[in-house]
Amino acid sequence: MANRVDTLVATSPIKCAADKFYNFFKLNMNELVKIFPLAFTGVEVLEGEEGTVGCVKRWKYIIGGIPVSATVKIEVIDDAAKSITFAVLEGDVLLLYKSFKATLTVSEGSAQWTISFEKSTILTPPPELYIPLVITICTLVDAFLLVN
């Protein structure tokens, strides 16, 4: 099978300021464990510093009712574009995909997640379960930031 990277895109409206929303994911993303405990059960910084390129974390989360983990590296931070790219280095998602990245791009009134993935086999389904997850994350973080 040729190396082909596919993408899924999810966009969610946000009411809080774009800078505040972007900075949450850049500097305070570990708070997801408190904001969304039904999905995020743990996070641990393994390398680097929060909010910097190269920071590596191990996330424990639940997707489709299944507890999984992923070691994720911040690959790109573009403050001007309010964009962050996270690359999965190891974990359960890589049992299905050769590569898996998620990029968050924030603008006034909108947050967009672009999930880039390379299937392990032609029969591997796209990671569509991540779409409702990222939409729910955006909704809960937006609500949290509006009152905090």
Side-chain angles (χ1 to χ4, degrees):
M1 187 168 138
N3 291 350
R4 187 176 124 197
V5 175
D6 292 310
T7 58
L8 291 174
V9 177
T11 303
S12 180
I14 59 171
K15 294 177 182 153
C16 73
D19 282 337
K20 190 173 184 179
F21 193 88
Y22 169 73
N23 283 322
F24 173 88
F25 285 92
K26 180 178 173 186
L27 302 170
N28 301 308
M29 195 170 170
N30 293 357
E31 295 295 309
L32 282 176
V33 175
K34 294 177 188 167
I35 295 169
F36 195 6
L38 291 176
F40 292 92
T41 58
V43 62
E44 174 186 7
V45 176
L46 302 177
E47 282 178 36
E49 198 174 309
E50 190 75 36
T52 62
V53 170
C55 180
V56 177
K57 297 179 187 180
R58 179 173 299 116
W59 286 93
K60 292 181 180 178
Y61 60 103
I62 297 168
I63 186 114
I66 300 167
V68 294
S69 69
T71 302
V72 180
K73 179 179 184 177
I74 296 178
E75 201 170 70
V76 177
I77 295 175
D78 184 341
D79 288 333
K82 293 184 189 71
S83 178
I84 306 170
T85 299
F86 306 91
V88 177
L89 301 178
E90 58 186 45
D92 297 299
V93 73
L94 294 183
L95 297 173
L96 293 172
Y97 305 98
K98 291 180 186 177
S99 66
F100 193 93
K101 293 182 183 184
T103 300
L104 171 66
T105 306
V106 182
S107 57
E108 289 303 329
S110 176
Q112 179 176 289
W113 285 93
T114 303
I115 299 169
S116 304
F117 58 96
E118 185 182 346
K119 294 178 180 183
S120 291
T121 72
I122 198 163
L123 299 175
T124 302
E128 292 174 350
L129 286 175
Y130 283 86
I131 299 302
L133 177 66
V134 297
I135 296 293
T136 303
I137 290 168
C138 289
T139 302
L140 292 174
V141 168
D142 188 41
F144 173 79
L145 294 175
L146 284 170
V147 296
N148 288 291

